[in-house]
């Protein structure tokens, strides 16, 4: 009977060890999945920022061209008045 109790203790010990190993594996998988999601989010944000910067650069270039055109029109108009 004592041997049977010891056998059950070994079974319980293995169950605990297996549960701990499963928990560590699950925690590792959750960490990897979370880290992968963070990388994906970072890449998306990075791409969005690059897109916004490009749009802003184009808007500045258009504004500069329009300002130059407006300045030239104003010079011509003032020359016509003189």
């Amino acid at each position: 009977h004592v041997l049977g109790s010891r056998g059950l203790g070994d079974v319980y010990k293995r169950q605990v060890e297996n549960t701990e190993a499963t928990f560590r594996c699950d925690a590792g998988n959750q960490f990897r999945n979370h880290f992968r999601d963070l990388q994906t989010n970072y890449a998306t944000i990075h791409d969005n920022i690059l897109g916004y910067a490009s749009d802003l650069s184009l808007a500045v270039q258009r504004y500069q061209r329009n300002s130059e055109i407006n300045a030239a029109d104003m010079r011509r108009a003032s020359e016509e008045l003189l």
Side-chain angles (χ1 to χ4, degrees):
H1 196 289
V2 173
L3 290 176
S5 297
R6 181 173 180 196
L8 290 176
D10 290 344
V11 169
Y12 175 76
K13 182 179 174 183
R14 279 194 300 276
Q15 287 176 338
V16 169
E17 289 170 353
N18 289 341
T19 301
E20 289 173 352
T22 299
F23 177 77
R24 282 192 301 274
C25 183
D26 289 346
N29 287 337
Q30 288 176 359
F31 176 79
R32 278 189 293 280
N33 290 341
H34 183 65
F35 186 73
R36 187 187 63 239
D37 292 345
L38 288 174
Q39 287 178 312
T40 301
N41 291 341
Y42 172 80
T44 300
I45 291 168
H46 182 263
D47 291 346
N48 288 343
I49 289 172
L50 290 179
Y52 297 146
S54 177
D55 292 347
L56 180 59
S57 176
L58 292 173
V60 167
Q61 289 172 9
R62 279 194 303 274
Y63 174 78
Q64 288 172 335
R65 278 195 304 273
N66 289 340
S67 295
E68 291 167 4
I69 291 168
N70 290 340
D73 288 345
M74 291 175 69
R75 276 193 300 277
R76 272 195 298 277
S78 65
E79 288 169 2
E80 290 175 5
L81 289 174
L82 296 176

